[in-house]
């Protein structure tokens, strides 16, 4: 602005500005207003309103979560019977009903008001995230049907609340999936207090469902390990607080109860991921309340697999090998004769897979050093949440790995299984660090854009080039080409040149191809490393070394706390790597 004013002054005679006084005052005011505010500038009333909304709704969510955590832990882990399962289900049912009622109120009343939603956050709720929410939601609906069938068969000796809860949860999943599919990009401007509290209620409800499902699934897996004929926990089956919720002798009235029970326990991982997906999308909506940045014109990014072969093939081989290892592990790990052989096979697969993933992540980070794309510096709630979840969820795997390393080194174990376990634990830490660096760098890079081809039109007059400029040319009708022929010839030459330029510019660069290969490979590897623990593989309970060092109760608590975060890390990495693949 100062440069423009000086230019105007220089253009006027005698160095006197020719800009009128009123226009000059307006220009100075505009230049002052465009400067960023100083740190001591007081916040605007709008910002103060947003902060008060976040404070009020945050207090509501914290109280719901703390009360729910106390109830779940008191019912599941206490030595004295604090609460029954029915009371926990009543609490969750009340939360589900209130949350469902608010979402219907928002869709019918708040979102339909004039100027209620003036802006849309294009980064929030991408199609792949909403698609994953729908898929996990469908699995959650099937799980609720199985739970209803199982509880119906035990109505003669169980509370009717156990039938009511899955039915209410089924309605909640349907309403919430539609709500997030349609309104996840909203930046609400009207009824901010009600919307903020409603979103925090939704977030707290999803986290409570996640906590309840993780607790139930962890207890089930622990009981499965203890009930094995030669399991290492037989001597603690009756004295541990984790087994007080065992079988109560209630008989089922129909023969499908066992099928329903196994079915909904296998569907727990999908329900857990559904709750976390919904929590992340709800949190972004909450952060966008009152936001006035219209980001409605994002760069269109399409999903293409053309040219990406090597990374996908190697990733599919890792997935197939992992599925084979998982099946053999589940079948043969219960036997004493085959347990050590199965553990050696499992740890060997993990070491090979983690080594390949570490090398791929390191190679991707090196390629970023040659990448000339700019870094996104604008504040984005979606991106900030992705990074926080990656770093926070990785702590679960760090927790288990470091405890295993300390136990193995302290005992100076030299068995093959222990040494493989030590190597695997170290590689998990290395792989998580390298993969986090690769993903976070990729998420903060601007996406590649398809630039229009540079078309250079060259006109060539062959007749002029052949003629002698110093001698007069006597051309007759047979020697001189017609103007139409000259035009066609020039057009042909320019078309050939522009076609060559377009084909060369549309060719994918080696950096883009390498980043897509690495992202696709890591995506598939994280899928198989999510499947194995999510569906029941617990090698931490099979080798027995950590349990011997730390004691049964402490080691089970470490695994049951860290493993759900590790499972979520793998699924969240899949989602983030898919976005890195698209932007590459």
């Amino acid at each position: 602005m100062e440069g423009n004013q000086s230019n105007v002054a220089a253009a006027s005679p005698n160095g006197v500005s020719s800009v009128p006084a009123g226009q000059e005052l307006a220009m100075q005011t505009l230049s002052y207003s465009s400067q960023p505010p100083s740190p001591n500038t007081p916040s605007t009333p709008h910002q103060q309103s947003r902060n008060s909304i976040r404070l009020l709704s945050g207090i509501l969510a914290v109280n719901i979560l703390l009360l729910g955590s106390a109830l779940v832990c008191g019912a599941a882990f206490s030595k004295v019977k604090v609460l029954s399962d029915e009371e926990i289900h009543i609490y969750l049912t009340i939360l589900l009903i209130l949350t469902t009622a608010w979402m219907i109120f928002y869709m019918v009343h708040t979102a339909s008001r004039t100027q209620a939603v003036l802006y849309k956050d294009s980064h929030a709720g991408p199609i792949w995230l909403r698609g994953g929410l729908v898929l996990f939601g469908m699995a959650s609906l099937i799980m609720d049907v199985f739970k209803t069938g199982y509880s119906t068969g035990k109505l003669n000796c169980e509370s009717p609340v156990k039938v009511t809860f899955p039915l209410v949860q089924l309605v909640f999943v349907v309403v919430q999936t539609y709500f997030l599919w349609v309104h996840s990009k909203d930046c609400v401007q009207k009824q901010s207090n009600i919307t903020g509290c409603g979103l925090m209620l939704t977030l707290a409800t999803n986290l409570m469902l996640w906590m309840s499902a993780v607790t139930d699934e962890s207890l089930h897996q622990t009981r499965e390990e203890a009930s094995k004929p030669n399991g290492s926990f037989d001597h603690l089956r009756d004295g541990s607080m984790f087994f007080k919720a065992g079988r109560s002798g209630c008989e089922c009235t129909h023969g499908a109860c066992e099928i329903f029970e196994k079915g909904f326990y296998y569907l727990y991982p999908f329900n857990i991921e559904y709750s976390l997906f919904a929590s992340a999308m709800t949190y972004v909506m909450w952060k966008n309340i009152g936001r006035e940045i219209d980001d409605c014109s994002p760069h269109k990014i399409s999903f293409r697999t053309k040219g990406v072969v090597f990374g996908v093939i190697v990733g599919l081989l890792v997935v197939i090998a992992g599925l084979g290892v998982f099946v053999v592990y589940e079948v043969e790990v219960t036997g004493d004769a085959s347990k050590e052989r199965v553990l050696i096979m499992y740890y060997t697969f993990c070491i090979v897979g983690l080594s390949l993933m570490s090398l791929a992540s390191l190679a991707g980070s090196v390629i970023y050093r040659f990448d000339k794309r700019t870094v996104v510096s604008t504040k984005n709630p979606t991106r900030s949440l992705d990074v926080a979840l990656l770093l926070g969820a990785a702590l679960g795997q760090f927790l288990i790995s470091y405890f295993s390393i300390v136990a193995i080194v302290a005992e100076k174990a030299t068995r093959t299984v222990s040494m493989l376990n030590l190597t695997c634990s170290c590689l998990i830490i290395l792989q998580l660090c390298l993969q986090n660096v690769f993903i976070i760098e990729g998420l903060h890079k601007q996406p590649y854009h398809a630039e229009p081809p540079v078309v250079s039109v060259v006109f060539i007059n062959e007749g002029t080039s052949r003629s002698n400029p110093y001698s007069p040319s006597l051309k007759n009708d047979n020697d001189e080409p017609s103007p139409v022929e000259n035009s066609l010839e020039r057009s042909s030459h320019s078309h050939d040149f522009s076609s060559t330029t377009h084909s060369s510019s549309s060719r994918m660069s080696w950096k883009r191809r390498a980043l897509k290969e690495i992202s696709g490979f890591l995506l598939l590897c994280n899928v198989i490393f999510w499947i194995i623990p999510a569906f029941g593989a617990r090698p931490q309970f099979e080798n027995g070394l950590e349990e011997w060092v730390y004691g049964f109760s402490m080691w089970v608590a470490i695994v049951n706390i860290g493993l759900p975060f590790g499972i979520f890390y793998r699924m969240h990495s899949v989602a983030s790597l898919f976005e890195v693949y698209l932007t590459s």
Side-chain angles (χ1 to χ4, degrees):
M1 185 63 70
E2 294 176 357
N4 293 336
Q5 292 176 356
S6 63
N7 291 337
V8 173
S12 62
N14 302 324
V16 179
S17 174
S18 62
V19 181
Q23 185 176 353
E24 185 175 1
L25 178 62
M27 293 171 64
Q28 292 177 359
T29 304
L30 179 62
S31 65
Y32 290 142
S33 63
S34 62
Q35 296 177 358
S38 62
N40 297 326
T41 302
S43 59
T44 62
H46 177 72
Q47 184 63 34
Q48 292 177 357
S49 175
R50 291 185 67 186
N51 292 336
S52 62
I53 292 168
R54 291 179 180 178
L55 178 61
L56 177 63
S57 56
I59 291 174
L60 174 64
V62 167
N63 281 277
I64 293 174
L65 287 174
L66 292 179
L67 175 60
S69 302
L71 294 176
V72 171
C73 294
F77 301 118
S78 64
K79 296 182 179 180
V80 181
K81 193 74 172 179
V82 177
L83 290 172
S84 63
D85 296 337
E86 290 79 9
E87 292 167 322
I88 296 297
H89 287 127
I90 291 173
Y91 178 73
L92 294 176
T93 303
I94 293 173
L95 290 179
L96 292 175
I97 293 174
L98 292 176
T99 306
T100 304
W102 174 80
M103 287 189 291
I104 295 174
F105 171 82
Y106 177 88
M107 291 185 288
V108 173
H109 181 69
T110 303
S112 61
R113 294 189 62 183
T114 305
Q115 297 184 345
V117 182
L118 296 177
Y119 308 100
K120 296 281 187 177
D121 184 3
S122 61
H123 298 281
I127 186 62
W128 54 265
L129 185 60
R130 288 180 289 162
L133 184 76
V134 171
L135 291 177
F136 290 135
M138 294 174 61
S140 299
L141 294 178
I142 299 173
M143 186 197 72
D144 290 328
V145 172
F146 284 179
K147 278 188 173 181
T148 304
Y150 176 79
S151 300
T152 304
K154 294 192 173 185
L155 271 178
N156 58 336
C157 52
E158 293 283 356
S159 172
V161 178
K162 290 193 174 182
V163 180
T164 306
F165 170 71
L167 291 176
V168 175
Q169 188 179 17
L170 188 147
V171 177
F172 167 79
V173 169
V174 173
V175 174
Q176 179 174 251
T177 303
Y178 177 79
F179 166 75
L180 292 176
W181 181 274
V182 177
H183 298 285
S184 59
K185 298 178 180 291
D186 290 358
C187 298
V188 182
Q189 309 296 328
K190 298 290 184 180
Q191 295 184 343
S192 300
N193 288 323
I194 299 176
T195 304
C197 293
L199 288 172
M200 278 291 101
L201 174 63
T202 307
L203 175 63
T205 302
N206 281 287
L207 290 179
M208 282 304 309
L209 292 175
W210 169 78
M211 188 185 306
S212 176
V214 166
T215 302
D216 199 4
E217 198 267 345
S218 298
L219 291 178
H220 172 75
Q221 292 293 340
T222 309
R223 286 197 298 267
E224 288 293 322
E225 295 293 335
S227 62
K228 291 178 181 178
N230 294 317
S232 57
F233 307 147
D234 288 345
H235 61 287
L236 295 168
R237 185 179 305 169
D238 298 326
S240 174
M241 61 182 179
F242 293 96
F243 302 119
K244 72 171 189 175
R247 304 187 180 277
S248 58
C250 182
E251 297 295 333
C252 183
T253 58
H254 57 78
C257 276
E258 186 176 356
I259 298 175
F260 286 147
E261 184 180 11
K262 290 183 178 180
F264 70 73
Y265 273 119
Y266 275 109
L267 291 172
Y268 260 134
F270 300 102
N271 178 250
I272 291 171
E273 298 302 329
Y274 174 82
S275 298
L276 293 174
F277 270 48
S279 300
M281 297 173 72
T282 305
Y283 175 79
V284 173
M285 283 188 67
W286 179 71
K287 291 286 288 186
N288 282 331
I289 293 177
R291 194 178 179 198
E292 296 180 350
I293 299 177
D294 191 3
D295 198 9
C296 60
S297 300
H299 302 294
K300 293 183 178 180
I301 303 174
S302 58
F303 175 71
R304 296 178 181 177
T305 58
K306 183 179 179 181
V308 182
V309 179
F310 180 75
V312 175
I313 291 177
V314 177
L316 288 175
L317 291 177
V318 174
V319 170
I320 294 172
L323 290 176
V325 170
F326 175 65
V327 172
V328 175
Y329 176 91
E330 287 293 308
V331 172
E332 298 187 4
V333 76
T334 56
D336 286 339
S338 59
K339 177 183 291 187
E340 186 168 356
R341 178 173 55 85
V342 170
L343 288 175
I344 291 175
M345 178 185 63
Y346 172 82
Y347 286 127
T348 302
F349 165 76
C350 290
I351 290 172
V352 174
L354 293 170
S355 300
L356 294 176
M357 295 171 70
S358 301
L359 291 175
S361 300
L362 181 61
S365 299
V366 171
I367 292 174
Y368 282 139
R369 305 283 80 80
F370 301 96
D371 198 349
K372 302 302 181 182
R373 287 181 293 167
T374 58
V375 178
V376 180
S377 58
T378 57
K379 290 185 178 181
N380 187 342
T382 305
R383 194 67 66 242
S384 301
L385 179 63
D386 288 336
V387 174
L389 290 178
L390 281 173
L391 297 178
L395 296 178
Q397 288 279 24
F398 286 155
L399 178 70
I400 298 176
S401 297
Y402 277 120
F403 271 85
S404 296
I405 292 172
V406 171
I408 296 171
V409 173
E411 285 295 313
K412 300 179 181 179
T414 57
R415 292 172 51 210
T416 303
V417 174
S418 299
M419 298 307 297
L420 291 175
N421 186 12
L422 177 63
T423 306
C424 184
S425 300
C426 295
L427 280 175
I428 287 175
I429 297 172
L430 177 64
Q431 190 270 325
L432 291 180
C433 294
L434 293 175
Q435 181 172 275
N436 281 342
V437 172
F438 172 74
I439 293 176
I440 293 172
E441 281 189 303
L443 291 176
H444 285 87
K445 290 285 187 179
Q446 287 280 4
Y448 281 103
H449 307 306
E451 299 181 357
V454 180
V455 180
S456 301
V457 180
V458 180
F459 295 97
I460 301 175
N461 192 338
E462 293 185 355
T464 303
S465 64
R466 291 198 204 100
S467 61
N468 188 357
Y470 299 103
S471 63
S473 58
L474 301 176
K475 297 180 181 178
N476 52 27
D477 295 339
N478 295 328
D479 296 332
E480 182 179 1
S482 64
V484 176
E485 292 174 350
N486 275 331
S487 176
L488 291 174
E489 188 175 28
R490 287 194 297 264
S491 187
S492 173
H493 281 282
S494 63
H495 175 72
D496 293 339
F497 187 83
S498 62
S499 298
T500 304
T501 306
H502 174 74
S503 62
S504 62
S505 64
S506 62
R507 191 178 299 118
M508 186 184 298
S509 64
W510 68 270
K511 290 180 292 187
R512 291 188 63 186
R513 185 185 299 275
L515 290 175
K516 283 186 175 292
E517 298 279 7
I518 292 172
S519 302
F521 169 73
L522 291 176
L523 188 151
L524 293 172
C525 289
N526 277 277
V527 168
I528 190 60
F529 278 100
W530 171 77
I531 290 176
I532 291 177
F535 288 91
R538 297 291 187 272
Q540 299 88 356
F541 293 149
E542 299 298 339
N543 50 45
L545 179 62
E546 292 90 344
E547 180 204 348
W548 175 263
V549 174
Y550 299 112
F552 171 77
S553 298
M554 182 178 177
W555 179 238
V556 170
I558 292 170
V559 173
N560 286 340
I561 292 172
L563 195 60
F565 286 98
I567 294 172
F568 171 69
Y569 172 83
R570 293 300 178 185
M571 180 51 63
H572 187 64
S573 297
V574 170
S576 300
L577 285 166
F578 185 73
E579 188 168 353
V580 172
Y581 178 90
L582 292 179
T583 56
S584 299

